[in-house]
Amino acid sequence: MVLLFFVKKRIYIKGLIYMNPFYDMQTEIYEYFHSSKKTKIAMWIIVALFPLYLTYACNSIAFGTNEGMTALLENNAGAFLLGAVVVYLIFGAFACLTKRIPLAAFLTALIFLIMPIIDYFKMALLEVHFFPWDFVFAKNAGSFGTFLTDLKVPDMAWNSIFMTVFYFLFILLMKPEIPVAWKKRVIGTPILLVCLYLFCMNPTVRNGYEMFGVSPKAPGNQATNYDSNGFITAFVLNFSSLNMGDPADYNEKYLANYFEKYQPSAESGQGFQNPDIVVVLSEAFWDPTVLNGVSYSEDPLKNYRRIAAEHPSGTMVSCTFGGGTVRPEFEILTGTTTNMLPSGNVPYQQYVFEDIFSYPRLFKNLGYDTLGVHTYQKEFYERDRAYPLLGLTEMRGEYDLHAEHHWNSGPYITDETIAEEVIYQLSQPHDTGLFLHVITMENHSMYLNKYSPSDWDISVSSGILSDDELNVMHNYSKGVSDSDAALGRIYDFVMNREKPTVVLWYGDHLPTLGDDFSPYFTTGNVSSTTAQEWTEEEKAIIDALIEVYNSFISSKIDDYNSSVYYENPSYIFECYREKTML
């Protein structure tokens, strides 16, 4: 009785399968491509072209336009083919491992569709491409959800995804399999992976890139790298930057001799009272009133201006734009430039694995209590691991604060919370003093529709900005004015306490107010949506700073025992113009 039921059930299921149109089509396609030697050759040609097509699709998504892809094929076809070699090696490794070509095609397509989409989103957020070292961000991937809510996958990407799915389904219907015994076939996987490693990493093999008309070293300008070589080849070229060698004369003896002249004299510091030190990295703190043709109902930086009128202040050149807070943060805390490191570097996750010099460590060695505070996840950028290596004894994240959490309609804890936490920490007893490093979060991008209009404290008007750009400027003005209010509250507290206190407040980078430098471009503050096309006058601002600090002024600034090191930029510039110290 049981056996009879099983047989009937099986016949019923077969009937359902047979009635499935997809099954009919699969059967016809499979039988056709396996019916003769010629059709089998045609099938394998279709399979062999899949990685080449995938190279095209991947680069198309990254470019986002047909023009970029056309320029790559016309002007640098060798770079396109070099990228195709990488795709073929990965596809071949999967095929040898699984035997089933459709599965290998699916896995390879997954890699080379996801990576350029990540590149697109990263460019939209930070104006920086996707690099090999960005994989260290994998553990923080979930933290980016808030930043991506207003981003959309471009039409070019959807077209490429649709065509790739169609190509994959056709391969699936043909059901090709490698006709080699698994013991012989599986050997191909490690062989191809070794070839992939050597192709991407070995300097001798990389010299062979010249055969494709491609230099084995990535250009210093990453925008040029990705625009001229395409996403895959540019990504591979950046593997040359993963291993940073030590500079010449980098040893303990050389450094000890170099810094000997900067040691303080025996008489210095007599009668000196140790001040508390507060360093505040204010997220995207910038003056929006510099945008041409934009008006505000009130000054978003009124506290900053009243403080700047009485204390040293100025502007600085940041090593990043729109994101990558960790780089200017690292530079401020250590005095070490990230300029020589690969673009998009993450110092804490790539280079900080043991105790290093930093200003927090300097103060810690003097007996100070050292503390880091952030109103976001302390694990982000692995700060919780790296901070102790920089001499910050403790790291407090959003869930470790003593201050009450204050919220508005935006997605982040407000800077009012930071002001209260700073005041709380300064109010605690400290034997020698406190070094407090603080990072704000409220004014982080994305700005489009960030706050409810009912939270807008400042009205923004302009006859040249679009509705979306006006929305962005309303939201940015709300965020930066809240940061300014926190600055004012901290300043008033410090000025009314007895103990000397030094507060360094700085913005880490300019805000990303929209795609393609909008509204900087709309207002005419920059002449092009591409940084490489900016005018010589715009570039001259940076060049002038470099020229000043490479002049005779440099040796004066290097003398940390002199007053020049502490002077404001306007005084230094006047000395440069007069060619003497005033």
Side-chain angles (χ1 to χ4, degrees):
M1 188 70 175
V2 174
L3 180 60
L4 180 60
F5 174 79
F6 174 78
V7 171
K8 286 186 177 181
K9 190 75 173 177
R10 185 172 180 179
I11 292 172
Y12 176 65
I13 293 175
K14 276 194 171 183
L16 282 179
I17 294 175
Y18 182 77
M19 292 171 62
N20 190 334
F22 183 80
Y23 178 77
D24 290 342
M25 182 172 61
Q26 182 185 30
T27 302
E28 291 179 8
I29 292 176
Y30 175 81
E31 290 178 350
Y32 173 77
F33 281 102
H34 291 266
S35 61
S36 68
K37 186 175 181 179
K38 289 183 179 180
T39 56
K40 285 183 179 180
I41 292 174
M43 176 183 70
W44 286 109
I45 290 174
I46 293 171
V47 169
L49 290 175
F50 181 73
L52 194 65
Y53 160 76
L54 203 54
T55 305
Y56 181 91
C58 178
N59 285 311
S60 295
I61 293 172
F63 280 121
T65 63
N66 288 319
E67 290 77 9
M69 192 65 230
T70 301
L72 175 64
L73 293 175
E74 290 180 351
N75 303 325
N76 202 357
F80 175 84
L81 294 176
L82 192 151
V85 172
V86 175
V87 182
Y88 271 105
L89 288 171
I90 293 176
F91 177 72
F94 280 135
C96 290
L97 181 65
T98 65
K99 180 182 178 180
R100 295 176 176 83
I101 297 298
L103 180 57
F106 172 78
L107 294 174
T108 309
L110 205 60
I111 293 172
F112 289 99
L113 291 181
I114 290 177
M115 288 177 61
I117 291 175
I118 293 174
D119 182 69
Y120 167 80
F121 281 139
K122 191 181 177 193
M123 278 296 294
L125 281 169
L126 308 177
E127 296 287 341
V128 176
H129 283 285
F130 181 48
F131 305 120
W133 42 92
D134 286 330
F135 284 114
V136 298
F137 267 141
K139 63 182 70 176
N140 300 132
S143 304
F144 285 93
T146 307
F147 308 148
L148 302 176
T149 52
D150 293 318
L151 295 179
K152 296 179 181 179
V153 178
D155 291 340
M156 191 75 174
W158 286 119
N159 293 338
S160 296
I161 291 171
F162 174 79
M163 292 301 298
T164 304
V165 170
F166 179 81
Y167 203 146
F168 164 73
L169 287 176
F170 195 73
I171 293 176
L172 181 64
L173 293 174
M174 293 189 300
K175 297 180 70 173
E177 293 185 354
I178 299 178
V180 179
W182 72 271
K183 290 184 179 180
K184 295 181 179 180
R185 187 189 72 247
V186 172
I187 296 176
T189 299
I191 292 175
L192 289 173
L193 289 178
V194 169
C195 290
L196 177 65
Y197 175 82
L198 294 174
F199 189 75
C200 295
M201 301 295 294
N202 184 272
T204 303
V205 177
R206 286 172 65 93
N207 287 335
Y209 291 0
E210 299 284 357
M211 296 170 54
F212 296 90
V214 176
S215 171
K217 290 191 176 181
N221 187 311
Q222 290 291 351
T224 301
N225 184 22
Y226 280 75
D227 288 345
S228 62
N229 294 314
F231 172 77
I232 301 175
T233 298
F235 191 86
V236 170
L237 288 176
N238 277 315
F239 280 112
S240 65
S241 301
L242 288 178
N243 298 316
M244 299 293 295
D246 292 339
D249 298 322
Y250 186 76
N251 57 68
E252 188 173 349
K253 181 178 179 181
Y254 174 84
L255 294 177
N257 291 335
Y258 185 84
F259 285 107
E260 186 176 359
K261 59 183 177 181
Y262 299 117
Q263 298 304 311
S265 62
E267 297 79 21
S268 64
Q270 293 182 357
F272 179 75
Q273 184 179 2
N274 292 320
D276 287 332
I277 310 294
V278 181
V279 178
V280 181
L281 185 161
S282 181
E283 175 63 41
F285 190 79
W286 170 71
D287 184 0
T289 64
V290 303
L291 291 179
N292 302 319
V294 183
S295 301
Y296 304 84
S297 59
E298 64 178 81
D299 187 359
L301 300 182
K302 55 188 177 184
N303 287 293
Y304 169 78
R305 295 194 211 285
R306 73 177 172 95
I307 298 170
E310 300 180 12
H311 302 278
S313 64
T315 57
M316 73 174 197
V317 176
S318 176
C319 55
T320 186
F321 171 81
T325 294
V326 67
R327 290 185 287 281
E329 173 189 340
F330 177 80
E331 292 192 346
I332 291 291
L333 288 178
T334 67
T336 302
T337 179
T338 60
N339 188 51
M340 301 303 176
L341 301 177
S343 297
N345 62 83
V346 186
Y348 297 155
Q349 293 177 287
Q350 288 179 260
Y351 306 111
V352 180
F353 299 106
E354 58 185 37
D355 290 349
I356 64 172
F357 170 82
S358 70
Y359 295 112
R361 181 172 302 285
L362 179 66
F363 283 97
K364 182 180 180 180
N365 292 342
L366 293 173
Y368 274 65
D369 297 327
T370 56
L371 173 65
V373 173
H374 189 14
T375 47
Y376 196 58
Q377 302 168 13
K378 63 183 179 182
E379 300 84 6
F380 201 69
Y381 288 131
E382 293 189 22
R383 286 188 176 100
D384 58 330
R385 179 193 61 78
Y387 271 21
L389 301 177
L390 269 65
L392 288 161
T393 304
E394 188 178 2
M395 169 63 183
R396 292 185 175 273
E398 57 184 326
Y399 302 114
D400 309 311
L401 304 177
H402 290 92
E404 177 186 352
H405 287 192
H406 296 280
W407 299 87
N408 51 31
S409 59
Y412 309 114
I413 296 174
T414 68
D415 287 356
E416 181 182 2
T417 303
I418 276 290
E420 292 183 0
E421 184 69 19
V422 169
I423 292 171
Y424 171 86
Q425 296 296 342
L426 289 175
S427 301
Q428 304 310 300
H430 303 282
D431 292 339
T432 302
L434 172 67
F435 182 96
L436 179 61
H437 176 249
V438 178
I439 305 173
T440 73
M441 192 65 187
E442 180 185 355
N443 199 34
H444 201 289
S445 59
M446 307 287 286
Y447 301 106
L448 184 64
N449 300 318
K450 180 177 178 179
Y451 299 105
S452 168
S454 61
D455 272 349
W456 293 347
D457 304 316
I458 298 174
S459 178
V460 183
S461 58
S462 173
I464 56 178
L465 295 181
S466 67
D467 290 341
D468 280 352
E469 288 172 330
L470 272 174
N471 178 282
V472 164
M473 292 311 303
H474 270 102
N475 288 311
Y476 179 78
S477 298
K478 161 64 179 173
V480 78
S481 64
D482 282 358
S483 301
D484 180 73
L487 168 61
R489 187 172 176 184
I490 293 171
Y491 173 77
D492 292 338
F493 173 81
V494 165
M495 296 304 291
N496 285 296
R497 70 189 305 239
E498 292 185 9
K499 185 171 184 180
T501 307
V502 176
V503 177
L504 169 63
W505 179 286
Y506 72 100
D508 53 343
H509 52 68
L510 269 68
T512 301
L513 300 175
D515 295 342
D516 299 323
F517 296 104
S518 169
Y520 301 103
F521 174 70
T522 305
T523 57
N525 285 72
V526 297
S527 59
S528 172
T529 58
T530 303
Q532 287 75 23
E533 297 176 0
W534 289 351
T535 64
E536 291 304 316
E537 182 179 355
E538 290 163 334
K539 295 177 182 177
I541 297 173
I542 308 299
D543 295 337
L545 287 168
I546 294 173
E547 183 177 342
V548 170
Y549 285 96
N550 281 338
S551 69
F552 74 95
I553 299 278
S554 179
S555 60
K556 304 294 185 183
I557 297 175
D558 282 347
D559 185 358
Y560 303 129
N561 291 316
S562 77
S563 62
V564 179
Y565 179 74
Y566 304 96
E567 292 290 352
N568 62 57
S570 59
Y571 168 77
I572 293 175
F573 182 64
E574 287 301 319
C575 292
Y576 169 78
R577 291 179 60 182
E578 297 297 326
K579 296 182 173 54
T580 185
M581 301 308 298
L582 302 176

